[in-house]
């Protein structure tokens, strides 16, 4: 399976559109401090595959990207700055959701991937060698400024180098490298202008790991959007991620405390001092139907020393649990489904697998409801958030998996499919995460 996945992924990247232009009907919904969130495969997204993929190809592809993402998150937790990926050909970032930003004066429109587990912002800049899409022309912006080695921000990037006086830095992502100049320019998000926003202006990339979009890191570290907009947004934002099944695919990213929901349930946000950009929460159990799955408490426990625990992430598609937790949930799910089927039909429902999903059925099933239990809050998932159905309706899978074998992971990741059609509020000043149902399609 691993081999066929790594073969599939480069093909996917070759099929991306190189143009970033949005069609006019897709570009009108940003207002105030609220940005329209698009799925990367949305009809409005220039990054959607040109060739429509079959359902099965789509699922396998998203899982493949998740696999690489999990390795990336695990490496963050382990405190490494690079990601060991055997094949060197996989995509480390899987930017599932994108927003529209404008950079420079006069503003140049570009699309940026929303990533809650990353602090950095990077923009592919004109003249970039190896970028899939060159979008930002710094020479055409009056407000563009390259940062020098003497600038304070230069001390916040990993391994800065001083070529002449410019502050440059190199990063490694999987088999790829990124060389960027630390730069500043005005970024305009919906109706808000952020002057002198610091980002990496990508000059060169090698390999195929780097996403063609810019990246808008919504983590909490020193150079993230939150840190750079303290007075404007007060480290508060929320999003509602649209279902990738929906035709319109339009959700929203609301920046700042204004207009956030009042009626919302909260759980505490935890901070791992070694990886302060990740949003940890305290998940204490998972209910399947009426029964709480028999998960060993150590599989869920937060441990700032090892990085173990649960994070909420916008970039992973399918929730991944450490193996003992996943097995407990899966076994309880199978028991329920199969018992119900036996009772209703008088025959056995046979379990099968698809890609990395090991709990699929080719007969019509009635699935139990799944609830993520957090400290102080239960999040009961609509069935569409944990079941994936083939287009023809003949196969249904439980859309979660164990952490991949080759990732020595201690991390549970609540992924974006499970967050769809909920407003997720990141209230950093009050150290809390809010969750409320909201249809965003
Ligand atoms: C947009 O921003 C301008 C300047 O800050 C402000 O005057 C205007 O009221 C804003 N419009 C909306 C719809 O928020
Ligand atoms: C990036 O930095 C290099 C020197 O390290 C310089 O030659 C180049 O012009 C810079 N590019 C931009 C867009 O500032
Ligand atoms: C960073 O990358 C550039 C371009 O690939 C290369 O010329 C330079 O030597 C690299 N610097 C370091 C410190 O690796
Ligand atoms: C898509 O949006 C249009 C209006 O923008 C609406 O009329 C239509 O029902 C939506 N379709 C779906 C499938 O949500
Ligand atoms: C269903 O499976 C059970 C064991 O899991 C077996 O004893 C039983 O014979 C099977 N029934 C049918 C109809 O295949
Ligand atoms: C969550 O659900 C569990 C099990 O049903 C229940 O015991 C608990 O009180 C609920 N917690 C909250 C905060 O509602």
């Amino acid at each position: 399976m691993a081999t066929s996945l790594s073969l599939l992924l480069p093909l996917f990247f070759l099929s991306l559109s190189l143009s970033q232009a949005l069609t006019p009907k897709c570009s009108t919904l940003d207002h105030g401090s609220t940005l329209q969130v698009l799925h990367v495969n949305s009809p409005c997204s220039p990054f959607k595959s040109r060739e429509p993929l079959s359902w099965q190809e789509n699922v396998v592809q998203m899982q493949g990207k998740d696999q690489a993402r999990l390795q990336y998150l695990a490496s963050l937790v382990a405190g490494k700055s690079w990601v060991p990926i055997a094949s060197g050909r996989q995509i480390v970032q899987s930017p599932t959701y994108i927003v529209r930003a404008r950079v420079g004066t006069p503003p140049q429109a570009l699309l940026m991937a929303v990533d809650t587990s990353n602090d950095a912002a990077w923009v592919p800049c004109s003249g970039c060698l190896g970028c899939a899409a060159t979008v930002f022309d710094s020479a055409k912006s009056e407000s563009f400024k390259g940062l020098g080695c003497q600038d304070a921000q230069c001390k916040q990037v990993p391994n800065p180098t001083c070529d002449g006086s410019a502050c440059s830095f190199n990063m490694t992502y999987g088999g790829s490298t990124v060389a960027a100049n630390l730069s500043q320019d005005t970024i305009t998000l919906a109706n808000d202008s952020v002057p002198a926003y610091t980002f990496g202006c990508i000059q060169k990339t090698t390999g195929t790991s780097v996403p063609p979009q810019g990246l808008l890191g919504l983590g909490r570290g020193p150079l993230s959007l939150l840190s750079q907009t303290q007075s404007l947004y007060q480290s508060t934002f929320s999003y509602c991620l649209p279902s990738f099944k929906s035709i319109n695919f339009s959700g929203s990213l609301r920046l700042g405390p204004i207009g956030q929901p009042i009626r919302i349930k909260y759980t505490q946000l935890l901070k791992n001092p070694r990886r302060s950009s990740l949003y940890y929460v305290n998940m204490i159990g998972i209910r399947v139907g009426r029964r709480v799955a028999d998960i060993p408490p150590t599989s869920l426990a937060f441990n700032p020393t090892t990085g173990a625990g649960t994070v909420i992430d916008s970039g992973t598609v399918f929730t991944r649990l450490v193996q003992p937790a996943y097995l407990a949930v899966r076994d309880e799910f199978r028991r329920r489904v199969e018992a119900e089927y036996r009772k209703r039909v008088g025959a056995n429902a046979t379990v099968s697998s698809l890609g990395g999903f090991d709990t699929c059925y080719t007969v019509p099933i009635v699935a139990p409801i799944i609830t993520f239990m957090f400290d102080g809050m239960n999040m009961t998932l609509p069935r569409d958030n944990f079941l994936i159905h083939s287009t023809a309706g003949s196969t249904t899978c439980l859309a979660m998996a164990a952490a991949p074998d080759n990732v020595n992971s201690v991390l549970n990741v609540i992924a974006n499919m499970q967050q769809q059609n909920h407003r997720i509020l990141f209230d950093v000043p009050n150290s809390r995460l809010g969750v409320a149902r909201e249809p965003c399609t």
Side-chain angles (χ1 to χ4, degrees):
M1 201 62 232
T3 324
S4 65
L5 278 180
S6 57
L7 290 175
L8 256 175
L9 293 170
L11 290 178
F12 167 65
F13 257 65
L14 289 176
S15 69
L16 291 174
S17 161
L18 294 183
S19 150
Q20 284 215 330
L22 283 172
T23 63
K25 78 173 172 58
C26 296
S27 58
T28 53
L29 294 174
D30 294 352
H31 62 279
S33 302
T34 300
L35 292 101
Q36 184 184 14
V37 173
L38 300 172
H39 192 277
V40 77
N41 288 339
S42 133
C44 290
S45 164
F47 303 111
K48 65 180 185 289
S49 308
R50 271 190 189 152
E51 298 295 321
L53 296 173
S54 74
W55 175 77
Q56 188 154 338
E57 284 167 333
N58 232 321
V59 168
V60 168
Q61 185 182 89
M62 287 192 286
Q63 282 176 335
K65 292 171 78 180
D66 268 4
Q67 195 96 345
R69 174 102 186 156
L70 265 284
Q71 284 175 308
Y72 165 69
L73 292 175
S75 78
L76 287 185
V77 166
K80 293 187 195 131
S81 60
W82 56 281
V83 188
I85 292 179
S87 79
R89 301 180 72 192
Q90 289 167 317
I91 300 145
V92 174
Q93 305 293 342
S94 43
T96 323
Y97 292 99
I98 52 183
V99 293
R100 198 162 157 272
R102 281 166 294 154
V103 181
T105 315
Q108 299 174 37
L110 63 143
L111 295 163
M112 296 177 91
V114 173
D115 188 343
T116 55
S117 298
N118 211 308
D119 290 337
W122 359 294
V123 168
C125 281
S126 59
C128 169
L129 297 173
C131 285
T134 296
V135 289
F136 178 63
D137 188 350
S138 56
K140 291 205 175 121
S141 172
E142 289 160 21
S143 46
F144 179 82
K145 177 175 170 233
L147 291 179
C149 291
Q150 72 290 351
D151 287 306
Q153 291 89 340
C154 194
K155 293 174 184 64
Q156 294 171 332
V157 300
N159 313 313
T161 55
C162 294
D163 244 356
S165 64
C167 175
S168 314
F169 59 99
N170 288 355
M171 300 178 290
T172 312
Y173 278 95
S176 290
T177 60
V178 175
N181 289 359
L182 199 63
S183 308
Q184 281 188 338
D185 207 337
T186 302
I187 186 170
T188 306
L189 299 167
N191 195 41
D192 296 331
S193 270
V194 181
Y197 180 67
T198 302
F199 60 93
C201 193
I202 304 178
Q203 300 295 307
K204 184 174 176 184
T205 74
T206 61
T208 53
S209 300
V210 176
Q213 312 86 336
L215 190 79
L216 190 65
L218 292 175
R220 291 188 264 183
L223 279 180
S224 74
L225 178 73
L226 295 199
S227 304
Q228 293 192 52
T229 57
Q230 278 296 339
S231 56
L232 183 60
Y233 298 136
Q234 293 157 43
S235 292
T236 305
F237 68 95
S238 72
Y239 57 62
C240 189
L241 301 177
S243 162
F244 49 75
K245 271 173 33 186
S246 147
I247 307 254
N248 285 339
F249 294 109
S250 172
S252 64
L253 170 66
R254 192 175 297 147
L255 297 164
I258 295 163
Q260 299 296 357
I262 315 262
R263 287 163 53 91
I264 192 163
K265 293 183 290 186
Y266 289 104
T267 188
Q268 206 192 338
L269 272 179
L270 307 173
K271 202 164 181 175
N272 175 347
R274 286 173 65 218
R275 273 300 150 193
S276 54
S277 54
L278 298 181
Y279 293 101
Y280 279 86
V281 286
N282 188 11
M283 184 161 70
I284 53 180
I286 298 177
R287 203 170 60 207
V288 180
R290 279 183 306 272
R291 197 156 170 264
V292 177
D294 197 9
I295 300 174
T298 50
S299 299
L300 300 179
F302 175 63
N303 181 337
T305 310
T306 60
T310 303
V311 298
I312 187 144
D313 180 43
S314 66
T316 311
V317 182
F318 304 113
T319 289
R320 298 281 187 146
L321 303 172
V322 299
Q323 189 132 357
Y326 176 69
L327 293 180
V329 169
R330 177 201 84 173
D331 290 348
E332 186 59 28
F333 181 88
R334 287 182 180 179
R335 259 196 297 279
R336 294 269 159 177
V337 164
E338 288 162 27
E340 190 282 334
Y341 191 81
R342 251 192 315 275
K343 208 168 127 195
R344 180 163 48 91
V345 181
N348 289 339
T350 312
V351 73
S352 58
S353 66
L354 171 77
F357 295 134
D358 67 1
T359 300
C360 301
Y361 294 93
T362 52
V363 292
I365 60 159
V366 178
I369 288 297
I370 293 180
T371 301
F372 291 145
M373 299 160 66
F374 299 100
D375 187 7
M377 168 184 88
N378 290 331
M379 179 180 183
T380 294
L381 303 178
R383 284 194 174 84
D384 273 351
N385 287 35
F386 62 86
L387 294 180
I388 188 154
H389 303 284
S390 64
T391 335
S394 54
T395 303
T396 302
C397 298
L398 173 63
M400 297 185 195
D405 283 347
N406 55 347
V407 175
N408 183 20
S409 187
V410 289
L411 200 59
N412 301 296
V413 180
I414 308 286
N416 62 42
M417 179 184 178
Q418 280 66 45
Q419 299 173 44
Q420 283 171 13
N421 290 318
H422 287 80
R423 171 96 11 214
I424 311 287
L425 172 60
F426 295 78
D427 180 353
V428 176
N430 295 306
S431 295
R432 56 187 190 172
L433 179 93
V435 176
R437 286 268 187 109
E438 181 182 317
C440 24
T441 44

